[in-house]
Amino acid sequence: MRAENHMEQPLRLLVADDDEVDRLAVRRALLQAGMSAQLVEVKDGASALAALLEQPFDCVLLDFQMPGHTGLEVLRKARAALVETPIIMLTGQGDEHIAVELMKAGATDYLSKSALTAERLAHLLRQALRLHEAEQQHRTLAEVLPHTLWTSRPDGQLDYISRRGFESLGLPPGDITQWQRVIHPEDLPRLLERWQHSLGTGESFSVEVRIRHARDGYRWHLVRALPMRDAHGRVVRWFGTNVDIDDQRRAQERLSRLQAITAALSEAPTPRQVMDVLITQGVGVLDAQAGAVWLVSEDGQTLELASANSQARELARHFERIPLDASLAVVEAVRHDKLVTYADRQERDRRYPAIARTGLPIEASAVMSLRGSRGVMGALVVNFTQPRTLRPDEQDFFLALARQGAQALERARLYESAQQARAAAEASEAQLRSVLAERERMEATLQERDERLRAALWAGGTGTLRWDIRTGALEWDENLDQLFGLQPGRTVQRLEEFLALIHPEDRAEVERRCEACEREGADFEMDFRVKWLDGHVRWLSGKGKTFVDASGRPLYMTGACVDITVQKQQEAEARQLADFERQILGIVSHDLRNPLSVIRISASMLLAREGLDERQSKSLTRIISASDRATRLIRDLLDFSQARLGGGIPVERKKMDLFELVRGVVEEHAASHPEQEVELEQEGEGVGEWDGDRLAQVLGNLVGNALQHGTPGTPVRVRCQGLPGEVLLEVRNAGEPIEPSLLPQLFEPFRRGRHAGSGAGSVGLGLYITRQLVLAHGGGITVTSSEEGDTRFTVRLPRLAPPPIPNRAD
């Protein structure tokens, strides 16, 4: 090896140590080892650093402790000055911590003075020279490789970048410290994070980042770093490479774009949609401002603008039809079937003076012909409002886009022709054969759609089946295997096997409905349970459509099943909750009526006695009033329970005059509220069929509500109007308007007015029950409240009960 040959010649060594005895020990060890050396000896750190910077040495033996500059300081300054000479540190003691610091600072190795022997010193010198020679070979090789090579000290400080790196990255020659300036700002944090992780763990790493080149801007590189370790496993140097992968990245991106375009074109069935994809992709990927597709006319004499984005249509408003002999880029591309580009306005005006005369704000363009199987059918055009030169990879993309676009456009035209043929097939048998031939050509598209349908069924957890009624054979997919708890591959092929998987309690009904499908051609629709082999029971919802022949004989049924176990559980929980709520409300409401009746009767009997003083009379009156309010609350709760849990409040209709009922309710409220005026206006006829007690409750709630919330001293107005087929009731009061946000919730249960107070005697069910009673009569109720303080409740009541909705037969 070269290092061994080098040891046969006198070594030029620098020995830096302030102790004469230690220097003498080094000389003796060299003599004992039989190594010939020219020694340059210095006694302090400053002299050692000066000698390193001025003279070449094969190796340096540097004392750790010296006056002026310590050995560690000399080492760091020498490495910062890019001195590559191997440096072996001499330490007074074998401290592991000191050794780690020395190796991080760039020491080739270290030797404890107490362990200084001829064999040890010779071994370290040979190893240091081998390492140095390997590094020199590495750096020589780096200058001929097409990659950038670099090395760093154990602490991550770069001490070498190959010449190719300086030239391609535009770094100042020899100035390694500027390397971070060429990394893309978005990628630098990620690179530094990975680098710091490797420095801390000693692990190699690789990462892709963008690096700025002196001529080509940012390009993608694969940066790799590999540690070199000594016999103790410590990292003594990092070796790294920067490999330019920009072309591969661009090729991958171009392939991804083309794949996306292929997918988009495959989903564009019409020529218009195909051209929209071409324009969108061309404008988007190339950062163009306008895009258009021109197609050759049927007579082959002109180009016609077929599709364009808004910017291109504005630019081409004077060029919607272009003769094929015009001197324009789009004509040149179509006539010569090639890519035509110009990079700036000067080139455009020189080559195409006709555009220069129009004054269009187009600086650059790219035009590519669209060639189909029968020749050029048109061209794809993208325009730029700034000077633009397409890179080779952009040109390749544009060519591929035009190629695929032409094929897709031709397919779309064929598809449109097939659609027209299919429509014409309804008129003649010959046209039907043409449609069938077209459908065969579309087999690939139909297969793709079938695969999409399968994916949708799988995503929705839906299984499908086909039952051949004539043979009894069953075909179903793997989704049904899962729904029925079957292992993959163990599918069902006969109706009997299907029925065996049904829960015993549902099997008879399922079998009966299957017989109806087989006998009558009925459709199948039923929720049923299946029992898995492991004992689990699941609910399924099954639906099937039975198809018959011309004579009405059932042929086959196609169906689907979906798991509704969770829905059934939720419904059961909801029913349990509703039953519990109904029981609680019923028990509370009914059980409270009896004691309240006893309280009221007892209070009334006591009030009828003679000899009561005024205080006793008032107390008994309050007891009676409170029991009446409680009775009304119970009635509201019972009505609420009936409305929410019993399907609505029942009404008993009888023929009556609604106007008389309204007059009686108004007079009753006017008598109980002498301090406030209640006005009544009636118009027309009030005869109809209603539940008088319930409508008295409706009107009483509305009038009482108006008296409670109306402004004192202002009248409450009640208006009745008889209309053909219905009667209109209106209750108005003046007062603070209802907030608009509260109006939609006003008829909800347990909603009380903002100023209801604790003595209102209501739990917020009055308006809810009022609405339910109106709905039970087939009517409707609305409320409005203006900013002027006019609040109006309007009730519409049909004179007769609406006809019942007929039940649909099962």
Side-chain angles (χ1 to χ4, degrees), residues 203 359 384 499 503 525 579 634 645 655 668 679 723 748:
E203 299 174 355
F384 307 89
L499 293 174
H503 192 280
E525 182 173 357
D579 291 341
I634 292 173
L645 306 176
K655 189 171 183 180
E668 179 182 347
E679 298 179 354
L723 300 174
E748 294 298 319

Side-chain angles (χ1 to χ4, degrees), residues 4 143 222 353 402 643:
E4 297 296 336
E143 304 303 331
L222 176 62

Side-chain angles (χ1 to χ4, degrees), residues 293-325:
V293 172
W294 296 79
L295 296 179
V296 179
S297 62
E298 292 184 2
D299 59 9
Q301 301 299 313
T302 60
L303 286 174
E304 299 177 351
L305 181 63
S307 181
N309 64 0
S310 57
Q311 293 84 347
R313 192 167 295 280
E314 177 65 22
L315 293 174
R317 62 182 182 274
H318 301 303
F319 294 92
E320 294 185 354
R321 294 176 64 88
I322 301 175
L324 277 176
D325 58 357

Side-chain angles (χ1 to χ4, degrees), residues 64-84:
F64 183 75
Q65 295 291 346
M66 289 188 298
H69 294 298
T70 66
L72 182 59
E73 292 173 341
V74 173
L75 174 63
R76 287 174 174 167
K77 291 182 179 181
R79 293 312 188 203
L82 303 182
V83 174
E84 302 175 1

